[in-house]
Amino acid sequence: MTLRPSHPHPDRRGPRIGVLGSYGGFNTGDEAILTCVLSCLRARRPDAHLVVLSRNAEHTLAHHPDADEVVPWEGVSRNHVLDVLPGLELLVLGGGGILYDGEARRYLRLVRAAQIRRVPTFAYAVGAGPLTDAEDRDAVRTVLAEMDDVVVRDEESRLVLEEVGLEREVTVTADPALLLAPEPFTEAMMREEGIPSGARLVGMSVREPGRAAEKLDEGDYHALLADVADFLVRRLDARVVFLPMERHDVRHAHAVLSHMTAPDQGRILHGDYSPGQVLGFMRHLDVAVGMRLHFVIFAALTGVPVLPLPYSGKVFDFARRLGAPALVGVAREQAGLLLAEVDRLWDEYPQRRADLGARVAELSASARKTCERCGALLDRIGAARDTGGAPAPTAGPAATSAATSAPEGTTSGGPAGGPRSGDRPSPDGPADGSPPDDGLTGDRPTADGPTDDDHADGGPSGDRLPADSPTDGDPAGDGLAGDGPTACDPVDGRSCRVEPRPLSA
């Protein structure tokens, strides 16, 4: 089933561009990322026909007006998804942290299927790690080597890809959500949430353990956050508001409240809000302490003094780039150190405000570079289409003569491993006319599959892509032993907006 808007846009005759990620209302951060990716593509190609491959097509269609078409890719037949790929001129993967154990192969199976059909592919500021599973590592190493350009959102992800053995140029930029625009969070909305006017407010974010945060001990970090919340209630005479960035966060926020000595001073935001509205709510805060990456990003965007609680490399990396206190993780024995850092954060923030603003501006500029690289690839695709050739690769031997130097912000991961111009198989599959076997059979993830940029558990672990020998002209077999103007323009500096969506969907 393919869904189109109830009030469709005028027929757009530009390139058909697919966007694949963990979209569908499961997580605020992912929805913010999709908003900004679509905004970039619309700004670069106003006439493009944008096709989103979503985990919940109805939600995406209702909340992302820039999407011209939405295709479900979970719980549907293999042919339904594969039929979409040959008509695309580009498949965009990401952004967000989708390349990690148990999930990387699911996304890369579709990317590989697109590559077999000669569809150019672009990794849009993705996050990687942890990657210890042999099948996921093989999938990442094989499929990313054949992508037309690979951009990651942080240095940690580049190092993970390097450790996996990916040998190609990888560009480091920043998270796409740094281009999100705030939307009003009104006084009426505050009253509806039971938050008193004029009170000092502390925002907090707590997440669930899972494959993206396997080392978290619930009892420890619930008690730790409760200590922080009680301290800030006393220190600032403040109310504490928990912001669920994903549906499972609500349960863990209740658990933290149950450990507090002053639970009556705590609230959990319960309304249905868009990412822009959540960002708008952050403007009401006096200080923010939290675990979720996009909670930290939103706080930084609004200029709120923020203390990240790192549980994984991506949060460590962003905290470092933000100049935030360099904590070593989320553990109960660090309570004294954490309370001291919170106290220092509050006292020193007036002196650090300008530095924080400068760092956020630099990160946002870096996030725009992803859009610029995607636009450059679209230009090459268009030029190749006009001349009847294949787009020149961004990395690899064929690109060496086309560029005199590596683009700013790019780091080389080793010998060239990018796709080869003119080396893609026929869009119609093998020469015998049979459709290519891309290993999508049996791909039936659960409804609770990966949920976000900080994904929760979910998805099958036994799906397989074939390791068939390549036919002549195919650069390599799958090699996967495991399986018009808008309200937002990241090109000229305008930010991104999205429609309201349920936080607890």
Side-chain angles (χ1 to χ4, degrees), residues 107 162 229 270 379 420:
Y107 292 97
E162 182 180 89
H270 67 271
D379 290 342
R420 290 164 289 187

Side-chain angles (χ1 to χ4, degrees), residues 368-402:
R368 288 190 187 93
K369 292 178 183 177
T370 312
C371 182
E372 293 167 4
R373 292 185 71 88
C374 189
L377 176 57
L378 284 167
D379 290 342
R380 293 196 298 275
I381 292 170
R385 181 184 63 242
D386 293 342
T387 60
T394 301
T400 305
S401 61

Side-chain angles (χ1 to χ4, degrees), residues 404-426:
T404 57
S405 61
E408 180 182 356
T410 297
T411 346
S412 175
R420 290 164 289 187
S421 175
D423 222 10
R424 298 180 186 274
S426 163

Side-chain angles (χ1 to χ4, degrees), residues 394-475:
T394 301
T400 305
S401 61
T404 57
S405 61
E408 180 182 356
T410 297
T411 346
S412 175
R420 290 164 289 187
S421 175
D423 222 10
R424 298 180 186 274
S426 163
D428 297 324
D432 62 5
S434 61
D437 181 5
D438 4 63
L440 288 169
T441 303
D443 188 11
R444 296 291 185 272
T446 64
D448 290 331
T451 56
D452 60 53
D453 169 75
D454 305 312
H455 303 293
D457 293 332
S461 59
D463 304 314
R464 293 187 172 272
L465 281 169
D468 298 335
S469 300
T471 58
D472 292 342
D474 190 358

